[in-house]
Amino acid sequence: MKPSTSILAAILAAAVAAQVQPAGVTRPIVEHCGSNGGVVCVNKYSAVLPYHFNRSISNNQADYDYRNTSVGNASTFDLLKTADFVVFDRQRGLQYLGDNPSYEFMFSVSSAVHEAPIYAPKQNLLFISQLAPPTGVLPQLLVDLNQDPPTLSNYTPNPPIYAPNGGTFRNGQLLFAASGGNDSLGGIEQRVSLRTVDPATNQSTVLLNNYFGFYFNNMDDVVVHPTSRDIFFTDPDYSYFNGLTDTAPQLPAASYRFDPESGAVFLIDDTIQQPNGIAFSPDGSTLYISDTGAVYGAIAPGYRGQGTTFNTTGKRTIYAFDVANNGTRVSNKRAFYLAQDWVPDGLKVSREGLVLTGSGHGVDVLDDVGQLLIRIQTNYTVQNFAWTGENLTTLWLMGNYGISKVEWNITGQTLV
C-alpha cells in the first residue's frame, strides 16, 4: 500500500526543515527563570536562531524590538512578548534583579517627549520635563513621592524654562539643559542654555547660554563629573529638526565641558554625528556618550520643524572615553554598545558600574565592557530614567505616553 500524497508531503517537509535548520540552536531559546513570573531568560543570547526568522525594522510610526522578531520554529520565543524583564546573562542578571523584582506602570502622559528626570532627595520629589513644538512654555511635571501612592502634577519654575531636555542634580539644585530657543515666549526671550532651579524656592537661573556669541543647538543631556563637579553636556541638532528653536544650528553637533566657576567652555568631542545621552562611571574615569544619528533631519532653509526620520543602518551606538586629569582630559574614544532597539537615548551609570540606556520600548542594562545583561520591557518609548528613594533603588522610567517604576537590586549613584 502506497502512502498518500499528503503523508509524503508532510514527510518531505519535515525532512527539508530538518536539513535547513542550522546546527547549534540552544533549546529552549527562552524560558521562565527566577521566582518572578515576569522574568524570562534568553539562553546563550539566542546566538543561533532556527530558520525562518525575521525582525521588522522600526520607523517613525512603529517601533519593533527584539520580542517582535518572528521565529516560526521556536514557540518559546513568544515568552518575550509578555515579560517585564529579559535576562541575557542568567547568573549576573538574576542577581541584579533580586528575589522579587517588579515593574509597575504608574502614569499615562501625553505623546510629548518626557525627559530631564531629576530627583531632589531632601524634598523627595521627582521632576520631569515635557517637550513639544513651540506652543509656548509647557508646564513641567512633578511626581510627589511623599504621597502613597505617588501623585503627578504640573510644575513651572520661576522664570519658566522652555523645553528642558536633560537634567541632573548638583550642589543641592536642579540642573537643566534647556533645549529650546525663541525670541518671545510669554514676552521672555529664551535661548538654549544650562539652567539651575532651587527646589526650595522654585527660582531658576541661567548658567550658560552661548559659545562666544553663538547659540548652542540643543543641549540634549547633562552630567556632572563626580570629583571636579564640572558640567558636561551634549549638543545635537534635534531642536531645529523638531521646531523647538527659531534659529538654524550655528555650531557643529558636539559635546562640551563647562566650568561654572570660571565660565569657560571646552569642546571635548565633535566626532559623534548626533551626541545625545551622557554619563560617567562612579569614579569619573570613563565617560559614555550615545550617538543617535540614526534619527536625523535636514538642516536647510525651510526645514525647521519638519521632524526626523529613522534609518536602522545609521549611528545608534554608545561610545566610551577615558577621562583623566580631574575630568579635564577626555581621550581614547571607542565603540561600546550598538543599541538592539531604536537608538540609545537617556544614559546613566549605576553605583555598581552598570551602564543603562533608554532604547525604544525599554531600558538595556550593560556591564562595563558593553555586554547586555538585562532588558526592562515597556509598552512605550523610554527616553530617560532616574533613581529615587533613600537608598536610590527605585528606578523611574519616562517617555512618550508613559511613566513607570522598577524595584530591583541596581542602585543609583549618590547625589551630591
Side-chain angles (χ1 to χ4, degrees):
M1 180 177 181
K2 294 183 178 180
S4 67
T5 302
S6 59
I7 294 176
L8 285 173
I11 293 173
L12 179 61
V16 170
Q19 290 172 0
V20 300
Q21 297 311 312
V25 176
T26 299
R27 297 184 185 274
I29 293 177
V30 183
E31 62 183 335
H32 286 291
C33 56
S35 59
N36 188 319
V39 181
V40 299
C41 286
V42 177
N43 292 318
K44 295 194 71 172
Y45 286 79
S46 65
V48 181
L49 287 173
Y51 299 127
H52 175 68
F53 61 87
N54 180 69
R55 178 168 172 173
S56 298
I57 302 301
S58 296
N59 54 57
N60 283 6
Q61 287 72 46
D63 185 18
Y64 300 103
D65 60 18
Y66 186 56
R67 68 188 133 175
N68 303 126
T69 305
S70 170
V71 187
N73 286 299
S75 60
T76 61
F77 203 85
D78 291 341
L79 293 176
L80 291 174
K81 294 180 180 178
T82 57
D84 296 325
F85 304 96
V86 180
V87 175
F88 291 89
D89 184 302
R90 185 182 295 246
Q91 181 177 354
R92 290 184 291 170
L94 292 178
Q95 176 186 343
Y96 285 127
L97 286 180
D99 293 334
N100 191 30
S102 67
Y103 169 85
E104 184 177 3
F105 187 88
M106 297 298 294
F107 304 109
S108 293
V109 290
S110 73
S111 62
V113 172
H114 292 83
E115 287 218 53
I118 308 176
Y119 176 57
K122 185 175 181 179
Q123 291 80 16
N124 197 29
L125 300 173
L126 176 63
F127 297 82
I128 301 172
S129 72
Q130 53 180 352
L131 288 78
T135 55
V137 180
L138 289 178
Q140 306 311 315
L141 300 179
L142 177 67
V143 178
D144 189 345
L145 301 171
N146 300 293
Q147 306 299 316
D148 188 16
T151 59
L152 181 69
S153 60
N154 288 339
Y155 161 79
T156 304
N158 182 30
I161 300 177
Y162 177 43
N165 193 87
T168 191
F169 194 77
R170 182 183 186 273
N171 294 348
Q173 296 194 324
L174 314 178
L175 174 63
F176 286 109
S179 66
N182 199 298
D183 62 3
S184 181
L185 291 162
I188 301 173
E189 181 172 4
Q190 294 204 37
R191 293 298 163 189
V192 176
S193 58
L194 291 176
R195 302 277 290 270
T196 60
V197 176
D198 186 334
T201 66
N202 202 37
Q203 291 297 306
S204 67
T205 302
V206 178
L207 291 183
L208 173 69
N209 68 359
N210 75 97
Y211 184 78
F212 296 101
F214 291 114
Y215 296 142
F216 287 102
N217 303 328
N218 188 147
M219 285 199 185
D220 192 284
D221 209 351
V222 60
V223 69
V224 176
H225 189 270
T227 56
S228 73
R229 312 301 298 152
D230 283 357
I231 298 168
F232 289 65
F233 62 92
T234 55
D235 193 43
D237 299 314
Y238 293 116
S239 286
Y240 182 75
F241 300 152
N242 296 321
L244 287 169
T245 180
D246 60 5
T247 59
Q250 301 178 353
L251 294 167
S255 301
Y256 298 88
R257 174 174 66 89
F258 172 57
D259 177 0
E261 301 304 318
S262 68
V265 180
F266 304 84
L267 176 73
I268 61 169
D269 179 78
D270 63 356
T271 67
I272 291 177
Q273 185 177 353
Q274 294 296 321
N276 198 315
I278 186 167
F280 280 107
S281 62
D283 63 2
S285 66
T286 304
L287 175 66
Y288 302 94
I289 302 176
S290 64
D291 188 344
T292 55
V295 177
Y296 195 73
I299 301 175
Y303 278 90
R304 170 178 172 262
Q306 295 298 308
T308 57
T309 59
F310 174 73
N311 182 349
T312 189
T313 64
K315 295 293 185 182
R316 45 194 182 97
T317 302
I318 298 173
Y319 294 93
F321 299 79
D322 291 336
V323 182
N325 200 29
N326 198 30
T328 61
R329 185 171 300 143
V330 177
S331 62
N332 191 25
K333 174 189 173 187
R334 58 214 182 260
F336 178 77
Y337 178 66
L338 173 64
Q340 62 88 19
D341 178 29
W342 199 239
V343 293
D345 198 335
L347 204 58
K348 298 284 192 303
V349 182
S350 77
R351 192 178 308 174
E352 299 83 5
L354 301 174
V355 179
L356 283 71
T357 183
S359 178
H361 284 188
V363 173
D364 286 346
V365 182
L366 319 163
D367 70 6
D368 60 0
V369 297
Q371 183 175 348
L372 177 62
L373 305 180
I374 304 166
R375 179 167 172 82
I376 306 168
Q377 295 194 138
T378 65
N379 61 353
Y380 63 94
T381 298
V382 177
Q383 272 113 21
N384 220 317
F385 43 90
W387 280 276
T388 68
E390 182 178 359
N391 299 314
L392 298 176
T393 56
T394 302
L395 187 73
W396 286 78
L397 291 62
M398 61 285 308
N400 304 110
Y401 297 108
I403 299 173
S404 54
K405 70 171 183 175
V406 167
E407 302 286 353
W408 54 359
N409 280 353
I410 299 175
T411 54
Q413 294 187 42
T414 302
L415 302 170
V416 292

